[in-house]
Amino acid sequence: MYTSPDIQNEIIQLIGSEITLQIVKRAIKSRFFTVLADETTDISRIEQFSLCIRYVDLELYVVREDFLAFVPVCDVTGARLAKTIKDQLQNLGLDLQNLRGQGYDGAAAMRGVFNGVQAVIQKEFPKAVYTHCVSHCLNLCLSDACNVDSLRNAFGVISEVCTFFRASARRTAILSRKLESSDSASTNLKEYCETRWVERHDAVLLFCESITETIQALEDLIEAKGADSGKAQQLHHSLCNFSFLIALFVAQHMLSLTHALSKNLQSIDIDLCSDAVL
């Protein structure tokens, strides 16, 4: 009946392989491509590469960025990571002689001019020009710009409030009823990403739109005098603080501008693969 875990996993792997094959075929047809990679540790504490390629789709005449694979890594030195990237691309059938760009973050192992991944690859493939990921640069700039006590404290309060409601089905139901009565587009608050500042835009925007209903939900919890009324009182006081409200709406405006800028950056063809085709 195709319901066993082994069969389901096999079907998923087959579908994934077919999708990857189609991506590689488009990239080969385009000829030139850029590699995009980032190393991270997943929830099971396994170091791995997320590997993507950027190329021009000659059928639609658009620049595409497609995910290829997660690649487990044990050695995170520049030389070893560079070898992992080259081996994985070659195994997928891509010709590294057509590699025209590299896009990584600013970590020493990736961008180092002597032993970094980009330097190791560029020694063998000189036309693979390295570009520091512009979205990552924007993320770093925004992170530094938000190193202000009032803004940092405001984000901390938002995180506490979201966690407080999401940790209990009863609290979530109370907040959902408040949001539904106000014809809100959402029935719950949204947690924001701790590391990617640009991705906080939607969460902060939703929090700004729902702050009145959130305060009303906290007031209901305070009046109920339950075990969580003390925490609700603390959060209610924080949300009604004038300094918090000013910082919240300043952050919302700032993140909206940054979100728009991020979208514009993503639409700019900055790598050499598009230039080569044009």
Side-chain angles (χ1 to χ4, degrees), residues 8 33 46 66 99 171 187 191:
Q8 291 179 354
F33 66 95
I46 297 176
D66 289 330
L99 181 60
R171 299 172 204 154
T187 58
E191 289 187 316

Side-chain angles (χ1 to χ4, degrees), residues 100-272:
R100 291 296 183 269
Q102 305 177 70
Y104 314 126
D105 61 18
M110 304 301 292
R111 68 172 297 180
V113 295
F114 297 110
N115 298 314
V117 171
Q118 65 91 13
V120 174
I121 291 180
Q122 200 164 23
K123 286 179 182 178
E124 189 173 352
F125 307 100
K127 294 182 180 180
V129 178
Y130 164 69
T131 301
H132 188 174
C133 174
V134 290
S135 294
H136 184 260
C137 290
L138 176 61
N139 192 71
L140 293 177
C141 291
L142 184 58
S143 178
D144 290 338
C146 288
N147 192 24
V148 178
D149 289 345
S150 56
L151 288 176
R152 187 169 59 248
N153 293 340
F155 285 125
V157 171
I158 295 173
S159 179
E160 278 193 69
V161 172
C162 293
T163 301
F164 177 73
F165 280 105
R166 295 172 70 91
S168 167
R170 171 174 164 269
R171 299 172 204 154
T172 299
I174 292 174
L175 178 60
S176 296
R177 286 196 296 269
K178 294 294 182 182
L179 292 173
E180 289 171 357
S181 64
S182 65
D183 297 326
S184 173
S186 176
T187 58
N188 203 350
L189 299 177
K190 181 179 179 180
E191 289 187 316
Y192 59 78
C193 178
E194 291 291 341
T195 54
R196 297 188 63 188
W197 286 76
V198 175
E199 298 302 322
R200 296 187 177 190
H201 169 259
D202 293 341
V204 173
L205 181 62
L206 177 60
F207 194 90
C208 288
E209 294 174 349
S210 309
I211 188 168
T212 301
E213 292 74 26
T214 303
I215 291 175
Q216 292 173 353
L218 290 172
E219 289 173 348
D220 287 354
L221 290 169
I222 294 171
E223 292 175 1
K225 299 186 182 300
D228 49 12
S229 61
K231 183 65 175 178
Q233 178 70 54
Q234 176 188 342
L235 294 175
H236 183 274
H237 176 74
S238 297
L239 292 186
C240 295
N241 183 276
F242 182 74
S243 297
F244 167 78
L245 293 173
I246 293 295
L248 174 64
F249 285 93
V250 168
Q252 185 267 333
H253 181 66
M254 177 186 63
L255 288 172
S256 295
L257 293 176
T258 308
H259 187 264
L261 178 59
S262 175
K263 293 297 183 184
N264 289 335
L265 288 176
Q266 291 175 8
S267 66
I268 297 174
D269 302 337
I270 59 169
D271 62 345
L272 298 181

